[in-house]
Amino acid sequence: MSLLRSASTIAGSSVISQLIGALSIWLISHKYDLGEVGLYALNYSIALIGAQVCTFASQLLIPRQPDEELAQNVVFCLLQSLTIAIPYAVLTGWLFHQNMLFLYLLTLSNTWVLVAENLSLRTANFRFLVVQRISVSVVVVLSVLLTRQVMAFYWMWAILMMALTSACIMRAFDLRSITLHHLRPSSNLAFLKKNIHHVTKVGSAEVLAMASNNLPIMLINFWFSALTAGYFSVVSRFCLAPVVIIGNAVRNTIFSKWSIDFRNNIFNYEEYRKVRLLLLVLGVVCTLGVFIFYPIVMNLGFSEEWIASVPTSRYMLPYLFPALAVCPLTVIELIFGSHRYFLRIQLEQLAIVGIAFVVVPYFYNDYATSIILFSILTFIRYAFIYLKVNKRADILRNGSVTS
């Protein structure tokens, strides 16, 4: 399957997932209110950050793993997540006044989503990846429709997610390949020691990246209100949909393809150039599209609460363009480049989040100021990243591929 065809397949599933996700947000706001959308986004953000904490990028080794070491990798991911999810759920449940068992199940299920996705990426089984991603979105809608109380919705969501992700892993991986040897603490400790560089560097970077993406909604809940967080959540779902749909499709496709190239000690520079140009064009088109059409769509029948999210969509435009045009290209550093640099750029984004959503609100509590500053600083950061990844591609073109 060609690179473009693979990306199109994943993008198609993301379009459907985003539409279903948008429906779920509308259903929650219609059945309850937009403030509940903010709380839903808070719980989801906690689970997404937790998923990265519970794996620390060990699941990203799966596509690159030799066949004889795959079972140990999967076992390590599962045992790691089952264990780390406990203190994480206790801590976040205490901090945000949420049910700890609910957060444990939701965090664990989202962790297993990552494991199942990387099993599909390893074999380039994009069709099953499509089914899985759509199913994750459908679970939320079903949970809203089948329950009458908000707490019942959250519990059904967590339970159905656990059932779904367990089934996906069993479908994508032969559990019969697991032996008692793989379950021994000594075997898992040996696996950790062998891959400690990846886990400490890339793992930290992935956790920081997910934290940077989801902390804004959590901090907006803290500094402003659940309703304001609802505005941000609506804009994130609709305006940032191109980033999620196209950016993730390209990122997952080149991650799968370039992981195979890495195992074969090659790098296709012409392919990189085509991907770079495609992302730049799509970044411009999508940014202009959001600028023109988002206010029109919001005024075509949505409530006043939804229309009030239009200013936020304007504030986020400097963030949207580089997040689509540049962010997927950082895969080149993850696979071929410096894990230390990959970690550094995530620390930079976390610092931006800290400045925009912690320091500024503490001294000047204004939502618009925080969002605008966040977008502009992120744009500047991606400009430097763009220069760096192009330099990496030039080095790979002129030399051999090294880890």
Side-chain angles (χ1 to χ4, degrees):
M1 186 179 287
S2 68
L3 191 69
L4 184 59
R5 185 181 175 187
S6 300
S8 300
T9 301
I10 299 176
S13 71
S14 295
V15 170
I16 298 172
S17 297
Q18 286 295 304
L19 290 174
I20 297 173
L23 174 62
S24 65
I25 286 180
W26 181 85
L27 287 171
I28 294 171
S29 68
H30 180 73
K31 199 168 187 176
Y32 305 105
D33 53 43
L34 200 60
E36 194 60 50
V37 172
L39 293 175
Y40 158 75
L42 170 66
N43 285 309
Y44 192 35
S45 294
I46 291 172
L48 290 178
I49 295 174
Q52 296 295 342
V53 171
C54 290
T55 58
F56 242 72
S58 56
Q59 87 283 0
L60 293 178
L61 289 165
I62 290 174
R64 301 170 57 182
Q65 205 67 261
D67 291 341
E68 61 272 15
E69 296 184 23
L70 178 61
Q72 187 63 70
N73 197 158
V74 173
V75 169
F76 181 83
C77 289
L78 297 180
L79 293 179
Q80 182 184 23
S81 60
L82 284 166
T83 304
I84 298 178
I86 296 174
Y88 180 81
V90 170
L91 177 61
T92 53
W94 174 72
L95 286 174
F96 295 99
H97 309 288
Q98 302 294 308
N99 186 282
M100 296 176 184
L101 179 58
F102 161 72
L103 289 180
Y104 178 78
L105 294 176
L106 193 64
T107 298
L108 190 61
S109 60
N110 277 278
T111 305
W112 290 1
V113 165
L114 300 179
V115 176
E117 285 190 353
N118 279 276
L119 285 167
S120 296
L121 290 173
R122 174 183 174 82
T123 56
N125 190 354
F126 297 113
R127 290 185 177 85
F128 183 67
L129 186 63
V130 166
V131 173
Q132 177 180 311
R133 290 189 170 177
I134 294 174
S135 300
V136 168
S137 299
V138 169
V139 160
V140 181
V141 173
L142 288 177
S143 300
V144 178
L145 293 175
L146 296 177
T147 56
R148 295 183 178 180
Q149 296 180 346
V150 66
M151 287 309 301
F153 152 66
Y154 285 123
W155 280 108
M156 177 167 283
W157 176 28
I159 293 170
L160 289 180
M161 277 291 291
M162 282 299 304
L164 172 65
T165 52
S166 298
C168 287
I169 290 176
M170 288 188 287
R171 169 65 176 76
F173 176 70
D174 185 5
L175 295 177
R176 293 173 298 180
S177 63
I178 297 176
T179 66
L180 289 176
H181 173 76
H182 296 128
L183 299 172
R184 291 174 183 170
S186 58
S187 300
N188 287 278
L189 183 59
F191 178 85
L192 175 60
K193 288 180 178 179
K194 181 179 179 180
N195 298 284
I196 192 65
H197 181 75
H198 173 93
V199 172
T200 54
K201 295 296 190 300
V202 179
S204 299
E206 287 293 309
V207 171
L208 291 172
M210 188 58 70
S212 298
N213 287 335
N214 290 277
L215 275 176
I217 192 74
M218 299 164 70
L219 293 170
I220 290 170
N221 261 287
F222 176 80
W223 286 110
F224 305 105
S225 67
L227 180 60
T228 306
Y231 296 151
F232 187 84
S233 179
V234 167
V235 170
S236 297
R237 174 64 67 175
F238 286 90
C239 292
L240 299 184
V243 175
V244 175
I245 294 170
I246 302 171
N248 285 351
V250 174
R251 188 181 194 276
N252 287 331
T253 304
I254 60 178
F255 180 72
S256 177
K257 174 64 168 58
W258 291 353
S259 292
I260 296 173
D261 289 349
F262 178 86
R263 295 202 299 265
N264 294 318
N265 198 40
I266 60 175
F267 176 72
N268 190 332
Y269 182 76
E270 288 305 313
E271 184 177 73
Y272 170 82
R273 287 184 58 200
K274 292 177 182 178
V275 171
R276 181 180 63 188
L277 178 60
L278 175 66
L279 289 172
L280 285 173
V281 172
L282 291 173
V284 172
V285 171
C286 291
T287 303
L288 288 175
V290 168
F291 177 77
I292 296 169
F293 294 108
Y294 184 78
I296 297 174
V297 172
M298 287 297 104
N299 283 280
L300 285 179
F302 286 89
S303 66
E304 289 296 324
E305 283 186 331
W306 286 63
I307 295 173
S309 69
V310 171
T312 299
S313 71
R314 295 288 196 254
Y315 306 150
M316 292 293 289
L317 290 177
Y319 171 90
L320 189 154
F321 171 72
L324 177 55
V326 180
C327 184
L329 295 177
T330 59
V331 167
I332 194 173
E333 289 293 334
L334 177 61
I335 298 176
F336 298 103
S338 167
H339 291 167
R340 181 173 297 178
Y341 177 73
F342 194 74
L343 174 60
R344 194 189 88 187
I345 61 177
Q346 306 309 333
L347 284 170
E348 290 170 355
Q349 186 62 25
L350 186 63
I352 290 173
V353 171
I355 292 170
F357 294 109
V358 177
V359 177
V360 171
Y362 180 81
F363 292 102
Y364 182 65
N365 193 269
D366 181 71
Y367 170 69
T369 301
S370 291
I371 295 293
I372 293 171
L373 183 63
F374 169 72
S375 296
I376 293 174
L377 290 177
T378 301
F379 181 89
I380 295 171
R381 165 181 170 264
Y382 273 121
F384 285 101
I385 291 174
Y386 184 73
L387 298 174
K388 178 67 175 181
V389 294
N390 284 320
K391 183 179 179 181
R392 175 66 62 186
D394 288 335
I395 293 173
L396 291 170
R397 177 179 58 172
N398 298 321
S400 63
V401 176
T402 57
S403 59

